[in-house]
Amino acid sequence: MTSVITGDIIGSRQQESQHWVDDLKKILASLGKTPSQWEVYRGDEFQIEVSNPEDALLAAILVKAHLRAIKSDARMSIGFGNKTHNAKRISESNGSAFINSGELFETLKKQKVNLALRTGDLDFDEKLNLMLQLALTFMDSWLVQSAEFVAVAIENPTLSQEELGQQLGINQAAVSRRQKRAQFDLVMNLDRYFRKQIKQYSAS
């Protein structure tokens, strides 16, 4: 089983500068090699394969945090399933993970939802998507400082608050405030729950 994130930048055509394209490529570069594992196409759309499905949600949250830190955001669907055709470019690969991700992505705008997932198991998807929607009530409104904190904290999971503060150029008290404001502990609890569920799902 693999996982595929399909996304686009929200309101990209209203943004005068195109600097977010370079920023997006920089963000995606940390998640693998282009064009086999990720690609940006049609200007503002992108696709990423996260080969360990347990990492998929955190990868999507990391992309979101990086974008919110530059006052942008993305709409993303995560599809789970197999990969039946492995092409040189991810946009030409195929399998149920790609179909689930692509079909779900087409519906997000209508649903006014910025992050959702699909395995094809309706009960499983309904339960996790409800949790994601609840988390989006605060993730969709992360301000720059909160989003910066989330990105750095996800990328450096072993650092203490003090060490995170050094990375961000702030003191420990400010780190603690940002962590609270971003509801970061809740985000990590959601990720842990998601990992457990997707592990059981792929084993079944």
Side-chain angles (χ1 to χ4, degrees):
M1 188 159 98
T2 189
S3 61
V4 176
I5 300 171
T6 305
D8 70 348
I9 300 291
I10 296 168
S12 61
R13 288 170 183 82
Q14 281 82 52
Q15 295 181 28
E16 286 167 36
S17 146
Q18 293 296 297
H19 73 84
W20 54 263
V21 177
D22 298 327
D23 288 319
L24 179 61
K25 287 179 178 173
K26 251 183 246 154
I27 296 161
L28 299 181
S30 70
L31 298 170
K33 292 190 176 74
T34 186
S36 59
Q37 286 166 296
W38 64 266
E39 247 186 301
V40 176
Y41 50 92
R42 285 203 294 233
D44 64 351
E45 292 188 15
F46 57 91
Q47 202 161 41
I48 318 157
E49 181 181 6
V50 183
S51 52
N52 178 3
E54 288 173 43
D55 294 334
L57 179 59
L58 204 58
I61 292 171
L62 182 61
V63 170
K64 184 178 189 68
H66 273 298
L67 288 169
R68 298 280 320 167
I70 55 166
K71 297 184 177 174
S72 190
D73 206 343
R75 191 183 288 112
M76 289 175 279
S77 62
I78 313 172
F80 298 88
N82 62 16
K83 185 179 187 179
T84 50
H85 176 59
N86 194 2
K88 283 193 176 120
R89 309 184 77 90
I90 184 171
S91 53
E92 291 164 10
S93 290
N94 209 339
S96 58
F98 292 83
I99 294 164
N100 279 332
S101 184
E103 286 181 352
L104 176 60
F105 180 69
E106 294 305 322
T107 69
L108 291 186
K109 215 174 194 170
K110 218 179 283 168
Q111 292 179 47
K112 295 189 169 61
V113 171
N114 290 342
L115 181 62
L117 58 82
R118 179 187 281 179
T119 60
D121 177 325
L122 296 179
D123 287 343
F124 182 90
D125 294 353
E126 186 181 19
K127 187 169 65 179
L128 277 159
N129 280 322
L130 181 60
M131 290 183 176
L132 282 183
Q133 281 179 34
L134 289 168
L136 287 170
T137 57
F138 59 86
M139 293 199 299
D140 278 346
S141 42
W142 275 336
L143 298 174
V144 171
Q145 289 183 340
S146 295
E148 272 172 355
F149 167 79
V150 172
V152 171
I154 288 174
E155 287 172 335
N156 302 280
T158 59
L159 293 191
S160 66
Q161 280 195 346
E162 211 170 312
E163 290 164 324
L164 287 171
Q166 285 163 4
Q167 293 257 350
L168 292 160
I170 55 176
N171 63 27
Q172 192 183 342
V175 170
S176 180
R177 279 196 300 274
R178 288 188 192 185
Q179 185 165 339
K180 231 182 228 135
R181 212 174 294 139
Q183 305 259 25
F184 186 67
D185 294 355
L186 202 52
V187 171
M188 296 319 285
N189 286 342
L190 175 64
D191 179 56
R192 266 193 296 277
Y193 179 78
F194 163 79
R195 284 173 188 274
K196 204 166 75 185
Q197 295 300 312
I198 208 79
K199 194 178 192 169
Q200 286 170 356
Y201 175 80
S202 44
S204 62

